[in-house]
Amino acid sequence: MFQRTISSLVFAAAALGATAAFAQTAPDAMIKQVAGDVIQSVKDDKAIQAGDVSRIHGLVDTQVMPHVDFQRMTAATVGKAWRTATPEQQAKLQAEFKTLLIRTYAGALTKVNAQTSIELKPTRSAPDDSDVTVRTNIKGNGDPIEIDYRLEKLPSEWKIFDVNVLGIWLVDQYKSSFAQQIASG
């Protein structure tokens, strides 16, 4: 189960790499394109496949993380305390959450193999929706893995603000650990 969860995060990371070039693209097409690009980058890089931590972190940081709505994701994870935090505290929380995501996704990227592919499920949304959920199946070794992405349309692009892997939304998963840290000061 743990191995499957880690493998699943590969594809969540891959899809997080949206760029402004995809701003006018349908969110499901953007997810498929970006996931494919990141998966291909991993397949083409022998250092990443061998587990080179600095290369993996570099890939995640440059292709994935700049396109996540960290403010929305972190605010949702922190909950009510976000509204009372100072701008400096909010910035620190976002930086810590980014570090956590980079570590999580960097480990997952080593699981990409030659058989890895992404398949979109039908998206149910109206053209003028500003928040959508894109559902995917990740195919590789073993059973397909379902991953859902919550995206928001910003003026210049679509950004992911939550990911569901194996029935667990990322924001919900980290809420309790952030709450404990906040309570302890």
Side-chain angles (χ1 to χ4, degrees):
M1 179 72 167
F2 177 74
Q3 189 77 335
R4 187 171 179 192
T5 301
I6 291 298
S7 296
S8 301
L9 290 173
V10 168
F11 308 102
L16 289 174
T19 64
F22 296 111
Q24 301 307 315
T25 304
D28 52 350
M30 185 270 303
I31 291 287
K32 186 168 183 149
Q33 178 66 46
V34 172
D37 290 349
V38 173
I39 289 168
Q40 192 59 50
S41 292
V42 173
K43 288 179 182 180
D44 293 343
D45 192 322
K46 299 289 185 209
I48 290 175
Q49 294 171 22
D52 182 328
V53 175
S54 65
R55 296 282 293 212
I56 295 168
H57 280 253
L59 175 69
V60 172
D61 198 35
T62 60
Q63 291 190 13
V64 177
M65 294 299 131
H67 308 289
V68 175
D69 186 344
F70 280 106
Q71 181 172 352
R72 183 171 177 176
M73 189 177 268
T74 307
T77 302
V78 172
K80 291 187 274 185
W82 181 259
R83 291 186 296 274
T84 60
T86 66
E88 294 80 20
Q89 290 170 324
Q90 289 178 351
K92 186 170 181 166
L93 285 165
Q94 286 183 69
E96 292 300 320
F97 197 61
K98 180 179 179 181
T99 299
L100 176 65
L101 289 175
I102 287 173
R103 288 182 183 151
T104 300
Y105 295 132
L109 285 175
T110 62
K111 306 301 180 200
V112 170
N113 61 44
Q115 294 80 28
T116 303
S117 67
I118 185 168
E119 177 184 282
L120 294 174
K121 292 182 174 184
T123 300
R124 297 181 188 119
S125 64
D128 60 340
D129 285 348
S130 59
D131 282 6
V132 299
T133 300
V134 174
R135 299 173 15 194
T136 66
N137 270 334
I138 306 306
K139 296 183 176 185
N141 294 337
D143 295 331
I145 301 164
E146 293 184 17
I147 301 178
D148 301 333
Y149 304 90
R150 287 183 179 151
L151 296 95
E152 67 178 327
K153 187 171 189 176
L154 299 177
S156 63
E157 65 187 307
W158 285 96
K159 287 207 174 193
I160 296 171
F161 64 90
D162 204 357
V163 179
N164 180 343
V165 179
L166 300 173
I168 301 170
W169 287 100
L170 186 67
V171 167
D172 292 340
Q173 181 179 359
Y174 289 120
K175 256 183 195 175
S176 63
S177 60
F178 269 66
Q180 290 172 351
Q181 291 296 319
I182 291 166
S184 68

